[in-house]
Amino acid sequence: MNGFGDAPIFLDVTRLLHRLTRGRRPTGVDRVCLAYVQHFHHRAQAMVIWGGVALGFSPSASVAIFDWLAGWEDGERIISLASPLGAVLKWPLRTVPAGSWVLNMGHSGLDQRSYHGWLRRKNIRLLVMVHDLIPITHPQFCQAGAAKRHAQRMGLILEQAEGIVSNSRHTAQMLDDHARQAGALVPPVAVIPLGAKKHWNVCEDAPGAAAGPYFVMVGTLEPRKNHAFVLHLWQRMLDEWRAADIPHLLVIGQIGWMCGGVVHQLRTDERLKQVVHLITDCDDARLGHYVHHAQAMLFPSHAEGYGLPLLEAMDLGVPVLASPLPTFHEMAGMVPDYLDLGDEDAWLEAILDYAQPASARREAQLRRLQGFSAPRWADHFTEFENFVSRL
């Protein structure tokens, strides 16, 4: 069933084009947006928020933009995309017709008054995804002003959205709590898990990033991800353990915000650099290689709305040591080893154990992983289309 009827469908690509043209690699939110690009490639037109105004591209320009965004996701070099994409972005833009469906999965413009007015004037049927409420619930881990902007986004979503997709029951509960505190009603919500990557083109001839056993952390460097905690663990290893017992750590992710101290430590502490390796520009093939051969992925986050790296590590059959967040329990059940962030010794004990060639604890998680099945994007979009048909 086509729940969209005959109304035009516009897919907001503002965030994706902004990041692509600045030479960034896709983050977790970007990859969710890109999954929607792939699914709606031949059914939707691209739109952007430009100077506070919503404008759409023609069908032919939209197909070209979607193709280049697919190349960006697949790791094609930014320089090869920039010139033709720049030409397309100069093509004429047009207004989005009244009564259109707009899919805004990256939150572009949702904190702007002009967007609010446009939705009302044009009777736009807005579909959004709420990824998390972390700037509101955990402002200490976010940039100045993030909590206010996110509250404005949530206010607009609660007032204007035709339907909301939530990536987890935990996120949906946080949204419900926020709405209740704000005295707002919640539009129809569908909790639909995000999909794991369908296949990893693991580059088996990738250069070895570490000699001997190693662990990985994957994600943008920002305070919420808790890199400082893990670096402290490795400092303790250097101070307390025999050198032969210290595994390596690959910190894989782009430089984010409020992480200057962590980045400085990673780049200047010569002793730490012998065992901890910062990789800020890693394509999917190398990432798949590094994760696939790791002893485990470390995920000591303070807060998460979902956690795609954790899901995809498990989908590759790689064990995970994680903080006991509600969303992790929802996604992964009792497969990972959950460790309290207040217990450094427990983390050190687990890392030492998992680094051993015959770790009974790691083998136990590998057995649990055999019964784990990650969600797929195909299932996500089946549920999404069913949700739209009920609106």
Side-chain angles (χ1 to χ4, degrees):
M1 175 182 289
N2 178 18
F4 294 96
D6 297 327
I9 304 171
F10 283 83
L11 187 59
D12 193 310
V13 294
T14 309
R15 173 192 171 99
L16 297 177
L17 293 179
H18 176 81
R19 290 181 54 78
L20 187 158
T21 55
R22 280 156 181 76
R24 305 286 284 178
R25 288 195 178 275
T27 64
V29 172
D30 297 331
R31 290 175 54 207
V32 173
C33 296
L34 287 165
Y36 275 79
V37 168
Q38 180 178 353
H39 182 75
F40 285 96
H41 189 290
H42 297 292
R43 295 170 58 192
Q45 292 171 240
M47 62 161 281
V48 293
I49 307 300
W50 195 275
V53 177
L55 297 169
F57 288 91
S58 69
S60 57
S62 297
V63 168
I65 289 171
F66 294 156
D67 285 342
W68 279 305
L69 288 171
W72 181 50
E73 181 182 25
D74 291 340
E76 190 172 338
R77 289 179 61 82
I78 298 295
I79 191 170
S80 69
L81 297 170
S83 180
L85 180 59
V88 169
L89 294 179
K90 294 177 182 177
W91 290 6
L93 293 164
R94 56 190 67 185
T95 58
V96 175
S100 295
W101 290 91
V102 167
L103 281 59
N104 187 330
M105 302 301 161
H107 293 181
S108 298
L110 295 181
D111 57 344
Q112 300 176 18
R113 289 181 179 274
S114 57
Y115 197 101
H116 189 284
W118 171 70
L119 292 170
R120 284 180 172 274
R121 288 193 309 274
K122 302 297 288 282
N123 193 29
I124 297 297
R125 305 189 72 181
L126 178 66
L127 293 169
V128 299
M129 178 176 292
V130 174
H131 299 268
D132 60 65
L133 278 85
I134 290 169
I136 298 171
T137 60
H138 297 78
Q140 69 272 29
F141 301 127
C142 303
Q143 295 167 299
K148 179 179 179 181
R149 290 192 299 274
H150 208 58
Q152 290 171 334
R153 293 185 192 107
M154 294 303 109
L156 184 147
I157 288 170
L158 291 170
E159 184 175 347
Q160 294 289 329
E162 186 90 2
I164 299 169
V165 176
S166 173
N167 53 12
S168 66
R169 293 191 301 274
H170 174 71
T171 297
Q173 184 60 58
M174 293 298 99
L175 178 64
D176 192 65
D177 292 345
H178 175 74
R180 186 168 56 253
Q181 292 172 13
L185 297 176
V186 181
V189 175
V191 175
I192 312 178
L194 307 180
K197 194 175 181 68
K198 289 182 181 178
H199 56 85
W200 286 88
N201 293 320
V202 176
C203 180
E204 290 298 350
D205 60 351
Y214 66 87
F215 294 79
V216 293
M217 280 190 75
V218 177
T220 301
L221 275 71
E222 53 162 306
R224 176 172 60 89
K225 300 294 186 180
N226 214 5
H227 291 83
F229 173 76
V230 175
L231 295 190
H232 174 69
L233 295 180
W234 255 261
Q235 289 282 15
R236 280 193 57 183
M237 294 179 203
L238 289 166
D239 291 338
E240 301 171 14
W241 292 11
R242 295 185 311 119
D245 292 334
I246 301 175
H248 287 245
L249 170 67
L250 309 188
V251 177
I252 305 172
Q254 299 174 99
I255 305 300
W257 51 91
M258 297 167 59
C259 61
V262 165
V263 174
H264 179 76
Q265 186 179 9
L266 285 166
R267 288 178 169 168
T268 63
D269 188 323
E270 295 301 327
R271 190 171 68 138
L272 193 66
K273 284 165 62 177
Q274 295 175 20
V275 289
V276 179
H277 313 275
L278 174 62
I279 304 172
T280 60
D281 186 19
C282 189
D283 60 38
D284 274 5
R286 285 195 300 144
L287 176 61
H289 173 84
Y290 294 148
V291 173
H292 184 65
H293 294 285
Q295 299 300 108
M297 175 176 284
L298 307 183
F299 221 126
S301 292
H302 289 289
E304 292 286 346
Y306 197 67
L308 271 176
L310 178 147
L311 183 72
E312 293 180 337
M314 294 174 62
D315 196 45
L316 279 172
V318 176
V320 175
L321 305 178
S323 51
L325 298 181
T327 189
F328 290 168
H329 281 283
E330 181 181 336
M331 291 166 51
M334 296 308 296
V335 175
D337 273 343
Y338 295 108
L339 303 165
D340 196 304
L341 292 178
D343 193 342
E344 293 179 10
D345 289 341
W347 280 84
L348 287 169
E349 180 182 343
I351 291 169
L352 179 61
D353 191 317
Y354 270 65
Q356 305 308 310
S359 166
R361 190 170 176 180
R362 185 173 186 271
E363 286 297 325
Q365 186 171 164
L366 288 173
R367 287 193 295 273
R368 296 196 297 272
L369 278 166
Q370 292 175 4
F372 176 76
S373 179
R376 297 299 181 194
W377 279 115
D379 300 323
H380 175 96
F381 285 111
T382 296
E383 292 189 45
F384 177 77
E385 298 275 357
N386 289 335
F387 172 58
V388 174
S389 71
R390 298 192 299 270
L391 295 176

